[in-house]
C-alpha cells in the first residue's frame, strides 16, 4: 500500500518555519521547526494519527533542515 504525505509551508520567520501535513487537504496536522536547532514541534496533531504521519512528516522536514532548506512544498512517500 502506497502512502503519500503532503507537507506545505504556511509561515516562516527568522526563528521558525511552520508546516501543515496530511494525507489529503481535508484533515491536516501542523508542525514547526526551530531553524537554529532543527527541533520539531507538533502544534496540531494529525487526526487519528498514532504518530505515524506526524513522525514521517517531521523526519522529512528535518532532513531538509540538515541541508539548510525550508521548502514551500515537499512530501514523504513510500
Amino acid at each position: 500500500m502506497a502512502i503519500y504525505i503532503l507537507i506545505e509551508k504556511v509561515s516562516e520567520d527568522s526563528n521558525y518555519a511552520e508546516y501543515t501535513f496530511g494525507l489529503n487537504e481535508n484533515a491536516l496536522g501542523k508542525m514547526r521547526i526551530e531553524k537554529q536547532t532543527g527541533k520539531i514541534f507538533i502544534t496540531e496533531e494529525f487526526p487519528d494519527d498514532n504518530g505515524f504521519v506526524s513522525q514521517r512528516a517531521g523526519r522529512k522536514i528535518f532532513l531538509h533542515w540538515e541541508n539548510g532548506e525550508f521548502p514551500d512544498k515537499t512530501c514523504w512517500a513510500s
Side-chain angles (χ1 to χ4, degrees):
M1 181 174 131
I3 298 174
Y4 180 86
I5 301 170
L6 176 63
I7 306 165
E8 292 186 309
K9 183 168 40 174
V10 293
S11 67
E12 182 176 9
D13 64 23
S14 61
N15 297 313
Y16 296 96
E18 189 167 48
Y19 290 87
T20 58
F21 61 93
L23 303 175
N24 59 55
E25 294 178 359
N26 297 326
L28 297 171
K30 193 178 276 188
M31 70 175 140
R32 66 185 193 170
I33 183 166
E34 188 175 78
K35 288 183 170 184
Q36 188 173 20
T37 66
K39 184 166 172 87
I40 303 285
F41 301 91
I42 302 300
T43 57
E44 193 171 315
E45 292 289 335
F46 179 77
D48 301 320
D49 184 16
N50 295 330
F52 180 85
V53 174
S54 299
Q55 288 176 3
R56 280 144 187 87
R59 176 72 177 153
K60 182 65 177 196
I61 292 300
F62 181 79
L63 292 173
H64 281 292
W65 173 82
E66 285 186 316
N67 291 319
E69 304 166 344
F70 298 97
D72 291 336
K73 278 189 175 183
T74 190
C75 70
W76 182 90
S78 70

